[in-house]
Amino acid sequence: MTDYRSAAAEYLATRRAMGYKLAYQGQMLAQFVAYLDIIGAEHLTINHAVDWAKQPSSAKRMWWAVRLSTVRAFARYLSAFDPATEIPPAGLIPAPSHRVVSYIYTENDIAELLRAAGRLPTMHRADTYQTLIGLVAVTGMREGRRSASIATTWTSNRVC
């Protein structure tokens, strides 16, 4: 029988030494190791991983996928020391997509945005936003997390 508790501690120490924080993964791994001890698992198997990951049964599929992902990384590490360890394949519990469906602006939408920007209270602000909207429209740029925070900072610190 594998000493899962020691193996998990070594795994976490190794990953943290490489710069990973693994805060919630460390907690999950401790819970998984306790589960393996309770059921008396000789070796980590895909069935053990999936059974544990799908707890509680009322949880969302995303939660199950996160739990299984944590176990998968540990299983890869453990397989170097215990060849009987089974590594759960990626996609066994597929996580739903987080992507927001893009909205494609029509030429009429863009024209209306430009007209609305032209009605802003100060001429400087109106010109600035019309230019910004025009640049985004012709270059095909999209707002990302970084550009959104820059745009928010830029508009909240405006000089006009």
Side-chain angles (χ1 to χ4, degrees):
M1 183 168 168
T2 304
D3 181 7
Y4 295 112
R5 206 169 299 285
S6 296
E10 290 169 12
Y11 164 74
L12 291 170
T14 301
R15 295 287 309 273
R16 287 177 175 145
M18 292 188 285
Y20 295 96
K21 290 191 169 97
L22 303 175
Y24 73 87
Q25 292 93 338
Q27 294 171 352
M28 274 194 228
L29 202 51
Q31 294 167 4
F32 179 63
V33 164
Y35 169 79
L36 292 174
D37 287 341
I38 288 169
I39 64 169
E42 293 289 321
H43 304 284
L44 193 160
T45 67
I46 293 172
N47 286 338
H48 295 139
V50 171
D51 289 347
W52 177 79
K54 286 190 168 184
Q55 294 177 11
S57 61
S58 61
K60 294 187 184 265
R61 191 172 195 79
M62 182 64 185
W63 178 245
W64 293 349
V66 168
R67 286 169 59 97
L68 188 59
S69 174
T70 300
V71 172
R72 182 180 307 108
F74 175 60
R76 276 194 302 264
Y77 171 85
L78 191 60
S79 68
F81 308 103
D82 180 9
T85 297
E86 297 176 6
I87 303 169
L92 194 58
I93 300 177
S97 175
H98 287 32
R99 288 189 172 212
V100 176
V101 177
S102 298
Y103 177 80
I104 309 298
Y105 288 89
T106 65
E107 286 188 31
N108 290 336
D109 292 335
I110 295 167
E112 184 55 40
L113 281 170
L114 289 169
R115 278 193 295 280
R119 292 190 300 264
L120 288 170
T122 63
M123 186 57 98
H124 178 69
R125 189 176 297 166
D127 291 343
T128 300
Y129 278 93
Q130 282 181 318
T131 302
L132 181 64
I133 292 165
L135 284 170
V136 169
V138 299
T139 62
M141 292 187 327
R142 294 177 298 166
E143 183 178 307
R145 285 186 178 175
R146 182 159 196 127
S147 63
S149 64
I150 291 169
T152 303
T153 304
W154 177 70
T155 55
S156 62
N157 296 330
R158 57 184 167 270
V159 217
C160 40

